């Protein structure tokens, strides 16, 4: 969660009624459940942001969620226990803000506040043990049938990011035979590394990952993504998705960084945990990335102990596409055309591995 303190100016015009005040916005339903978790329902693919502000003195802490679309009016629902009030308002012409205000003295740990996408149209944030034991309350139909989980999304559900890269000339594998998990690193309030001109790792890796997924799907590979939008997914759920789905391959996609005072450091590297299939996978991806990045140093396919490649049970690798702090790599990573090329390269590496290791 972000510790950024923003002013919450949400006028309370009326109580929420049977007709949702947020009609026209991306907020379909919300609820505080008995265990002290905030649950939301939105249209599939909605991008939302979460913020937290610590309380002081007679003012309790509060968190708020911003969603696309403006509500028709503002409203307020009185809480119970540690929660004083929940408000829905309109901070700008095209934003819905849901504010959860806590009573003074309520202790929340910002590091534990994670808004996680639990399916294509469901979100959940655990508020901590100090907010449990509530009488549940909320607005809208949160128990409506869920859109199929992103863990089982059909290929058409992956949202394109820019033009579809060409798949002509790429290796072919039997349609439907393989399942691959693509893990875009970081996300949501965790942007990963931030480099030259404010280039954020999360923006680069999500764009490339979605394109890799498109390419693989076009070649008949079933693809699961650990996230498809700017949400925060912890490391264990990423591993659990891969292991529970019995995927054939796992690839985590990242961008590297060093100090902003070292723009001379550039290069591409791919990590594996164990020799054997994982090493061959890392080498296949590394080779293809280098081919579309002339002049970028080859930092090699190397052993690494990253959680997501150490705990997955299938061949797994973690690719670092270049340095967002590098004077050579950063402009490339910021270029949509280069992102398309490296997405094709990564997909080619994965396909080459599958062809060579049927």
């Amino acid at each position: 969660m972000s510790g950024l303190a923003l002013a919450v100016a949400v006028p309370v015009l009326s109580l929420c009624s049977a007709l949702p005040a947020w009609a026209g916005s991306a907020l379909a339903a919300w609820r505080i459940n008995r265990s002290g978790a905030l649950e939301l329902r939105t249209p599939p693919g909605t991008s939302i942001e979460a913020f937290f502000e610590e309380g002081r003195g007679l003012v309790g802490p509060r968190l708020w969620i911003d969603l696309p679309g403006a509500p028709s009016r503002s409203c307020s629902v009185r809480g119970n226990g540690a929660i004083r009030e929940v408000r829905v308002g309109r901070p700008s012409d095209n934003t819905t803000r849901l504010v959860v205000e806590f009573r003074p003295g309520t202790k929340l740990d910002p590091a534990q506040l994670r808004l996680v996408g639990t399916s294509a149209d469901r979100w959940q944030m655990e508020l901590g043990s100090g907010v449990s034991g509530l009488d549940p309350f909320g607005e809208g139909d949160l128990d409506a049938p869920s859109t199929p989980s992103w863990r089982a999304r059909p290929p058409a559900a992956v949202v394109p990011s820019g033009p579809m890269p060409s798949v002509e000339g790429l290796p072919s594998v039997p349609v439907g035979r393989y399942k691959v998990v693509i893990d875009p690193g970081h996300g949501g309030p965790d942007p990963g590394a931030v480099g030259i001109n404010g280039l954020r790792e999360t923006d680069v890796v999500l764009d490339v990952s979605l394109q890799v997924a498109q390419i693989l799907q076009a070649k008949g590979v079933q693809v699961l993504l650990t996230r498809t939008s700017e949400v925060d997914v912890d490391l264990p759920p990423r591993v659990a998705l891969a292991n529970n789905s019995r995927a054939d391959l796992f690839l985590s996609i990242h961008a590297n960084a060093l100090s902003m005072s070292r723009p001379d450091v550039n290069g591409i590297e791919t990590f594996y945990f164990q020799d054997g299939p994982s090493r061959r996978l890392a080498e296949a991806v590394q080779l293809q990335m280098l081919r579309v990045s002339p002049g970028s140093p080859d930092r090699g396919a190397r052993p690494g102990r990253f959680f997501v490649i150490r705990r997955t049970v299938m061949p797994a690798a973690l690719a670092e596409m270049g340095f967002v702090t590098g004077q050579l790599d950063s402009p490339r990573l910021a270029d949509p055309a280069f992102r398309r090329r490296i997405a094709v390269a990564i997909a080619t590496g994965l396909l080459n591995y599958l062809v060579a290791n049927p």
Side-chain angles (χ1 to χ4, degrees):
M1 289 294 301
S2 170
L4 184 64
L6 299 180
V8 181
V10 184
V12 180
L13 300 184
S14 64
L15 294 178
C16 295
S17 65
L19 294 176
W22 55 85
S25 80
L27 180 62
W30 66 269
R31 175 171 63 200
I32 304 289
N33 65 27
R34 189 175 299 279
S35 64
L38 170 65
E39 299 176 292
L40 304 176
R41 183 162 66 87
T42 67
T46 300
S47 178
I48 66 180
E49 294 182 296
F51 303 88
F52 173 75
E53 184 177 52
E54 294 183 355
R56 294 181 181 178
L58 298 179
V59 178
R62 53 189 172 180
L63 63 86
W64 61 99
I65 313 292
D66 283 352
L67 307 95
S72 59
R73 58 187 174 85
S74 298
C75 65
S76 168
V77 174
R78 187 176 300 279
N80 63 86
I83 296 178
R84 178 180 176 272
E85 185 179 60
V86 177
R87 302 191 296 271
V88 176
R90 177 177 176 171
S92 68
D93 288 343
N94 195 36
T95 302
T96 294
R97 177 169 291 168
L98 183 142
V99 183
V100 182
E101 183 173 327
F102 299 87
R103 298 188 189 281
T106 303
K107 300 297 183 183
L108 299 178
D109 181 1
Q112 300 300 316
L113 297 176
R114 295 180 180 274
L115 184 64
V116 176
T118 58
S119 68
D121 58 354
R122 296 293 199 277
W123 307 78
Q124 182 167 305
M125 178 187 289
E126 298 290 341
L127 301 179
S129 59
V131 193
S132 60
L134 304 175
D135 293 329
F137 66 100
E139 292 288 331
D141 185 4
L142 212 137
D143 294 318
S146 177
T147 298
S149 166
W150 48 261
R151 294 177 176 84
R153 235 180 229 188
V158 173
V159 180
S161 179
M164 170 66 181
S166 172
V167 298
E168 294 182 7
L170 269 63
S172 294
V173 296
V175 175
R177 178 171 177 177
Y178 295 108
K179 183 186 298 182
V180 173
V181 172
I182 301 296
D183 173 42
H186 307 282
D190 172 18
V194 179
I196 296 173
N197 295 323
L199 181 64
R200 303 195 317 160
E201 180 181 2
T202 183
D203 298 330
V204 175
V205 302
L206 183 58
D207 184 11
V208 172
S209 296
L210 290 173
Q211 294 188 67
V212 170
Q214 283 184 283
I215 298 166
L216 293 177
Q217 288 169 344
K219 299 299 292 185
V221 177
Q222 182 181 356
V223 180
L224 305 178
L225 287 144
T226 59
R227 66 182 182 96
T228 59
S229 61
E230 281 305 326
V231 296
D232 185 11
V233 183
D234 208 355
L235 298 180
R238 297 174 193 248
V239 170
L241 168 63
N243 291 344
N244 293 341
S245 67
R246 299 185 179 182
D248 298 287
L249 297 179
F250 175 93
L251 181 68
S252 191
I253 298 179
H254 291 255
N256 228 328
L258 199 61
S259 167
M260 292 286 282
S261 64
R262 293 295 308 277
D264 57 304
V265 178
N266 297 269
I268 291 171
E269 57 192 342
T270 309
F271 293 92
Y272 60 90
F273 178 56
Q274 290 182 319
D275 278 331
S278 291
R279 179 172 182 170
R280 294 195 294 273
L281 172 62
E283 291 172 342
V285 172
Q286 176 76 3
L287 175 64
Q288 296 302 319
M289 289 196 295
L290 287 169
R291 287 181 172 176
V292 298
S293 307
S296 191
D298 179 4
R299 297 171 63 92
R302 308 164 54 188
R305 293 185 56 81
F306 298 99
F307 185 91
V308 293
I309 59 174
R310 185 161 45 91
R311 294 296 185 91
T312 39
V313 297
M314 70 291 299
L318 186 148
E320 296 276 8
M321 301 181 291
F323 283 73
V324 295
T325 53
Q327 60 188 4
L328 174 63
D329 292 343
S330 180
R332 290 178 174 179
L333 294 171
D335 179 9
F338 176 79
R339 294 185 192 179
R340 286 195 290 275
R341 291 195 298 273
I342 203 163
V344 172
I346 291 171
T348 302
L350 293 170
L351 292 168
N352 282 341
Y353 175 88
L354 292 173
V355 170
N357 299 271

